[in-house]
Amino acid sequence: MPSSTSPLGTDLSIAGMLLQVDNGASPDAFQTIANVGSFKFPMTCKTVNVTNVGQLWEAMAPTLHSMGKITFDLFYIPEEVTHRNSPTAGSVGAGLMWLFLNANAANKVGLRNWQCVFPDGNSSQFAFTAFVTSFALDAKVGDVFKVAIELTNDGTAPSLP
């Protein structure tokens, strides 16, 4: 029986993954978001019902692709350059709080290029554009400060490996 294990390995540890955002300059200079604890990139397809009267089972057809709500959690440090409420300054990009407060589809100030760089030795990455559309602080006794971030794509197709 042939092996079903990939010749590239059985798994890929998340340790070493980088989530990066550009500084809004040209050319792009990416900075790594500090203290990321989890990351979700939920691509989906919208579907429509195409069942006709001759069918006994519901038939669905995919239509538009969506990146869904891209989310990540981080361990929050208020003055961390990638977390704070501060605009771009030279080679330093805007902080996540600033990107959230300045998310505006009309002038695209908060729209940024993002990349998730995999620790596979080849720098494989998901690259996409998005606004920061949620910045939810969570603070509990006996825990650390955490923030749940939500990114929303502007309709531009991502670049995928």
Side-chain angles (χ1 to χ4, degrees):
M1 174 172 267
S3 172
S4 62
T5 301
S6 168
L8 300 176
T10 58
D11 57 65
L12 180 61
S13 173
I14 193 171
M17 183 204 90
L18 302 175
L19 181 60
Q20 300 179 323
V21 62
D22 78 354
N23 65 350
S26 181
D28 285 341
F30 285 89
Q31 65 184 16
T32 300
I33 303 295
N35 302 348
V36 173
S38 66
F39 177 71
K40 292 183 183 177
F41 193 88
M43 293 182 287
T44 62
C45 275
K46 295 202 181 289
T47 57
V48 294
N49 188 322
V50 293
T51 310
N52 67 58
V53 296
Q55 294 174 289
L56 297 176
W57 290 87
E58 182 178 58
M60 302 297 286
T63 59
L64 298 173
H65 289 88
S66 172
M67 287 176 31
K69 295 295 183 181
I70 303 154
T71 59
F72 62 96
D73 296 322
L74 54 86
F75 303 106
Y76 181 62
I77 308 293
E79 290 299 321
E80 158 56 40
V81 69
T82 61
H83 299 181
R84 66 187 181 175
N85 181 15
S86 179
T88 301
S91 62
V92 177
L96 292 168
M97 174 71 81
W98 189 90
L99 289 172
F100 168 71
L101 293 172
N102 289 277
N104 184 319
N107 63 21
K108 299 192 184 258
V109 170
L111 183 64
R112 289 291 190 269
N113 293 315
W114 294 79
Q115 57 189 22
C116 171
V117 183
F118 294 91
D120 62 358
N122 295 317
S123 297
S124 299
Q125 61 186 254
F126 287 168
F128 56 96
T129 57
F131 291 100
V132 176
T133 52
S134 179
F135 188 101
L137 180 65
D138 184 19
K140 298 177 194 167
V141 171
D143 203 350
V144 297
F145 285 98
K146 298 175 186 170
V147 170
I149 301 289
E150 181 180 274
L151 305 176
T152 302
N153 174 257
D154 70 336
T156 304
S159 173
L160 305 169

